[in-house]
Amino acid sequence: MADPSVNINLPGANDQKSENNEKRSLDPELFSCLLQPSPPDSDPSYLGIRRLLLHQKAKSGVLSRKACFYARYFYFCVGGVEGVWAVIMRLPTLYPTSYSDAGRVKDWRCNGKSYVAYRNFINRPRNWDSVQTPSHPSTPGDSGRWITSPPPLSHIFDTSSWSISRDLRSPSRALSHSTSFSSNASDIERPRKKGEPAYSFVGMHCIFDQCKAMVTVIKFGHMSSDLLAYGASDGSLTVCAVSTPPSVLMQLTGHSKDVTDFDFSANNQYIASSSVDKTVRVWDTSKGLCMRVIYGTSSQLCIRFHPVNNNFLSVGNSNKEITVFNFSTGRKINKSNFDSEVTAMDHDHTGQLIFCGDALGCVYTVTMISHTGVLSRSHRYRSSGKQKSPVTTIQYRTFSLLANGPVLLTFSRDGSLSFFSVSLEIQGYLTLRCALKLSARLHSIRASFCPLLSLQKGEYIVAGSEDNNVYFYDLTRPRHACVNKLQGHGYPAIGVAWNHGENLLASSDFGGTVIVWKRANTS
């Protein structure tokens, strides 16, 4: 089994020349890594392998032959270690191996990288062998690679891989209607030890990694728990099904540049998408065909179907305007001008109000006549910060306990997360209730409301981050807002979306990976 090109000298050999050669090749950084204290729940039999591989992972560049020597040394000393070759085989300069354990490597791959799954392996508890169940292999013939989450091991991966706090916490009091506060929070803040169990996750439900470009926007179908779509910076729009087995239904190609936004019609039969290529396209999801192309004079940045009259499409563009199009004919009906590029928008449930944000951080309320499409600006909220940053997320919700009525969530590239109460009696007048200041974003990262699971708990927000994690924040606890986080992406997390059943959360990243997370059942 050993590679004849590598000379392995185990400790205790009597050959003085071999001992001298080994002493000259010792790496002090390696042994300082080996002498680090071990975590309390780790298996001592595998500490050497874990530290060795983490030490080699931290290096950038070509691994030396010495890495092969030490890895194989620990392999033979410990014996029967599945997973050490899962990492060794991925190192580009090491020699190929003929071990039969290599066939199990593909079970641990995540978007072509095995580090996350291997971390689960090396951090497994002592009773792993007694609870281990066969893992389901990936489907190499399917363009949407997927991994099922084994229920018996959900409690194991809950803390070792995704750092989710599961302890119960006493319900927080609802804030008064006039309460307003702000806070500064960091994305690298550790979640509180007593987190929110309603937003714990049992692991990854499935993974789609066939896209090779940044996934800029991701959404589930209207009132759907299974239909998922996401747009990428290469102009592609992918429609998937997340039910078992997950699969890619179709890939809609036609945009020549970044897909900036898209929206499902009420019956999910059509998708309207906007792009930097200055076009709006309408797709038939049953046939996978582009029905209509609407050409503009500037980049189209955000788009929504009217919630009541699906014959209207509202599109925000970089020409500082919102344009209403007739869905059937593609004809322009009306438009409204603003102070800067319209970067995000959303409708209220009645369709009479449009909330939009621009590139200067302002949030507008626009009234709309549902049967004619006529627009008129009614209110504007200006950010108090000196630095003006584009708004990346505008999301409306019909009810919140915090505001005792409809609310609006906004998220800006500078990390400003704002929560407004909406007065429908005063044409959508916005009142700032609370705000969080997170670290600034380099990309157009989006945020979303979390499901309203209990009327006695806080207001939860989920957002991506530049550090590759997905964070959960409670706006009612400003001093320790971060309650949970999901780890698994290898690139900055860009988009997030909940399905209709609110048991699945989809997140996308800069590298083109889409992960669908399965929320723990806390009923």
Side-chain angles (χ1 to χ4, degrees), residues 1-11 13 18 22 65-66 68-77 85 99:
M1 296 175 64
D3 193 329
S5 63
V6 181
N7 185 21
I8 301 177
N9 296 317
L10 300 180
S18 300
E22 183 178 350
R65 186 183 292 261
K66 181 175 58 179
C68 182
F69 164 80
Y70 281 110
R72 297 189 180 191
Y73 168 74
F74 281 107
Y75 181 89
F76 286 108
C77 286
W85 295 109
Y99 288 110

Side-chain angles (χ1 to χ4, degrees), residues 451-463:
L452 191 63
L453 298 175
S454 174
L455 296 180
Q456 297 180 350
K457 299 189 182 297
E459 190 65 54
Y460 292 89
I461 308 297
V462 59

Side-chain angles (χ1 to χ4, degrees), residues 76-300:
F76 286 108
C77 286
V78 178
V81 181
E82 301 177 7
V84 62
W85 295 109
V87 177
I88 292 179
M89 288 179 62
R90 302 189 63 79
L91 301 179
T93 59
L94 297 183
Y95 299 100
T97 179
S98 59
Y99 288 110
S100 60
D101 291 341
R104 280 179 281 252
V105 174
K106 62 183 179 181
D107 291 348
W108 298 329
R109 287 179 180 172
C110 174
N111 194 28
K113 303 174 182 60
S114 62
Y115 173 66
V116 173
Y118 185 74
R119 182 181 57 191
N120 298 342
F121 176 82
I122 61 180
N123 286 335
R124 64 190 189 276
R126 300 174 188 272
N127 63 339
W128 167 270
D129 295 331
S130 62
V131 299
Q132 188 174 10
T133 59
S135 60
H136 297 279
S138 59
T139 56
D142 203 328
S143 58
R145 200 177 304 168
W146 63 280
I147 302 173
T148 56
S149 54
L153 303 181
S154 60
H155 63 285
I156 298 173
F157 292 150
D158 194 33
T159 55
S160 63
S161 177
W162 294 284
S163 305
I164 304 299
S165 303
R166 300 291 297 275
D167 300 332
L168 295 176
R169 185 179 180 87
S170 59
S172 61
R173 294 185 301 170
L175 300 179
S176 63
H177 188 74
S178 60
T179 302
S180 177
F181 54 84
S182 62
S183 172
N184 293 331
S186 173
D187 290 333
I188 60 175
E189 177 186 0
R190 291 182 176 271
R192 297 194 305 271
K193 292 183 178 180
K194 293 184 179 180
E196 173 50 55
Y199 300 109
S200 297
F201 289 76
V202 297
M204 298 179 185
H205 173 70
C206 61
I207 298 174
F208 299 98
D209 62 353
Q210 85 288 347
C211 187
K212 303 304 179 184
M214 176 177 63
V215 177
T216 55
V217 57
I218 182 170
K219 292 181 182 180
F220 279 93
H222 182 67
M223 303 291 287
S224 174
S225 297
D226 176 58
L227 188 63
L228 175 69
Y230 52 91
S233 59
D234 60 359
S236 64
L237 190 63
T238 307
V239 183
C240 308
V242 299
S243 59
T244 305
S247 62
V248 173
L249 301 179
M250 63 189 70
Q251 191 167 28
L252 310 175
T253 56
H255 287 296
S256 59
K257 295 183 179 180
D258 303 36
V259 174
T260 56
D261 199 6
F262 69 89
D263 195 24
F264 283 93
S265 62
N267 58 1
N268 294 328
Q269 183 178 356
Y270 303 104
I271 292 179
S273 59
S274 59
S275 172
V276 179
D277 64 6
K278 304 180 183 180
T279 65
V280 170
R281 291 179 179 265
V282 180
W283 310 86
D284 188 335
T285 57
S286 61
K287 301 177 181 178
L289 300 176
C290 180
M291 297 175 50
R292 180 167 290 103
V293 181
I294 303 174
Y295 294 92
T297 59
S298 60
S299 298
Q300 310 297 309

Side-chain angles (χ1 to χ4, degrees), residues 363-519:
V363 180
Y364 301 86
T365 302
V366 182
T367 59
M368 180 177 183
I369 302 177
S370 299
H371 63 279
T372 62
V374 176
L375 302 176
S376 60
R377 286 175 47 179
S378 59
H379 304 289
R380 178 178 62 182
Y381 177 86
R382 287 185 175 180
S383 174
S384 58
K386 296 181 179 179
Q387 300 294 332
K388 305 302 181 182
S389 180
V391 177
T392 61
T393 299
I394 294 284
Q395 190 174 15
Y396 174 85
R397 172 178 274 179
T398 56
F399 178 80
S400 169
L401 184 68
L402 182 61
N404 197 26
V407 290
L408 190 73
L409 171 69
T410 68
F411 189 44
S412 301
R413 191 177 290 185
D414 63 356
S416 299
L417 191 65
S418 302
F419 183 79
F420 299 89
S421 62
V422 181
S423 176
L424 298 180
E425 295 80 7
I426 319 178
Q427 294 182 325
Y429 182 79
L430 302 178
T431 302
L432 181 64
R433 305 306 303 270
C434 54
L436 291 175
K437 183 65 175 179
L438 308 178
S439 58
R441 267 64 173 163
L442 298 177
H443 306 90
S444 296
I445 293 179
R446 305 174 189 250
S448 173
F449 282 114
C450 287
L452 191 63
L453 298 175
S454 174
L455 296 180
Q456 297 180 350
K457 299 189 182 297
E459 190 65 54
Y460 292 89
I461 308 297
V462 59
S465 176
E466 300 285 352
D467 63 1
N468 309 347
N469 299 324
V470 178
Y471 287 90
F472 295 79
Y473 302 99
D474 183 2
L475 295 178
T476 65
R477 300 163 182 168
R479 292 188 177 181
H480 304 283
C482 182
V483 294
N484 280 336
K485 73 175 179 179
L486 301 178
Q487 296 175 309
H489 286 286
Y491 297 90
I494 303 296
V496 290
W498 292 90
N499 70 339
H500 176 63
E502 297 179 338
N503 63 319
L504 298 177
L505 172 69
S507 58
S508 63
D509 65 26
F510 182 84
T513 302
V514 172
I515 301 178
V516 181
W517 310 84
K518 187 174 182 180
R519 190 171 60 83

